[in-house]
Amino acid sequence: MAAITYEKDHHFPIQNIPFGVFEKDGKGVCCTRIGDFVIDLSVLAAAGTFSAEVNAALQESKLNTFMGLGKQYWSEARKKIQEIFSTEGNADLKTKSMLKASECKMVMPATVGDYTDFYSSREHATNVGKLFRPNGEPLLPNWLHLPVGYHGRASSIVVSGTEIRRPVGQQRPDDSAPPVFGPCKLLDMEVEVGAWVGKGNPMGTPITIDNARDHVFGLSLFNDWSARDIQKWEYVPLGPFLSKSFASTISPWIITMEALEPFMCEGPAQGTGTDPEPLPYLRQKFPGSVDLKLSASVKPKSATSYSTLCNTNFKNMYWSVFQQLTHHTVNGCNMNPGDLFASGTISGPTEDSYGSMLELSWRGSKPLKLNNGEERKFFQDGDSVMMNGVCQGPDYCIGFGDCEGTILPACM
């Protein structure tokens, strides 16, 4: 049987080999994707294709056990899959394991035990500071010293394609009047990337910056839906709560750090000019950013096509995923396979690279014109919000798949 073929610009070439889970007979099945085919990895594992540890892990309904095996096993599995599907032969194994991607329902790739959201884009933090503290310094005193983050809600992270119910809560639109209760009127997106923990660490034993790369399994696209009016009223003094916990959307495929290695690059310089140098435990001596082009678009219920909202790049992040993980565990916090931490909104230096409607519309003062003539300051019911990401190589690209959610009316 011949190797799988696909167009040169396909997002899932043989160099990608992402990991995910699709639903079959009501149960999760570990899989990968090459071209327009999903590969049932449980079939390969049952045939003894991999080492005993990998064979056992890939016959489970989620990827957590496989993720916890470590880099040696992740690499072994990828290389074996590439070997089988880039050459002729293995006809029976290929026939049994190959499914049309269009006919597969993707589900959450892993059970997320804990979730942390960071705030690591300097441009985003500066823009938010200007919007909410116009008479003060945009960046708070701690921002250039550590990756700011908060513990989020794991149970409401949902896979792409899941509909999103408009949240309800307290707001205070008039600062001189009491708060009111009702549906969110300022529903927003946040263009983010989620990093998946692979091998964990024992409680009390930090992950150092030098070995952080051994603990990050891969990345997915992440939309941290945000209710800005609810957030404005509730966030002092402990940060966001109901304004974030109602939903976050994640793309179904985990793109491994091994696949992203050719696209690793230096991030923004740290400790230059008047900026403080990070403390020793956060000093990164290797390229920790990824040249990952990101876009977000919206399709209103009445429209037939998506309108681009922004184009940005993950390499703009001031704090890398490895610095985030190192800081997260420096106090001895234990991480487990399948834990997730998100980057924070990814904004660039230009207005069209801002990663949220809060910034793009500058808090509603600059409505965005859509392809069908409509305008948006924030999202309306029926809007479908889509995020995409791709790493572009010289003769192939690594895609992340769709990260989409459609907004439903509030439930009162």
Side-chain angles (χ1 to χ4, degrees), residues 11 75 102 112 225 234 267 305 405:
H11 283 198
S75 185
S102 59
V112 181
W225 297 94
E234 74 174 2
S305 63

Side-chain angles (χ1 to χ4, degrees), residues 116-121 147-148 193 195 209 212 282 284 314 317-330 335 341-344:
T116 300
D117 190 28
F118 283 94
Y119 185 54
S120 292
S121 162
V148 174
V193 168
I209 192 67
L282 285 173
Q284 185 174 271
F314 190 42
M317 301 302 284
Y318 187 83
W319 296 106
S320 76
V321 295
F322 308 110
Q323 290 173 312
Q324 290 171 343
L325 181 60
T326 298
H327 182 66
H328 200 317
T329 66
V330 73
M335 308 293 284
F341 56 103
S343 60

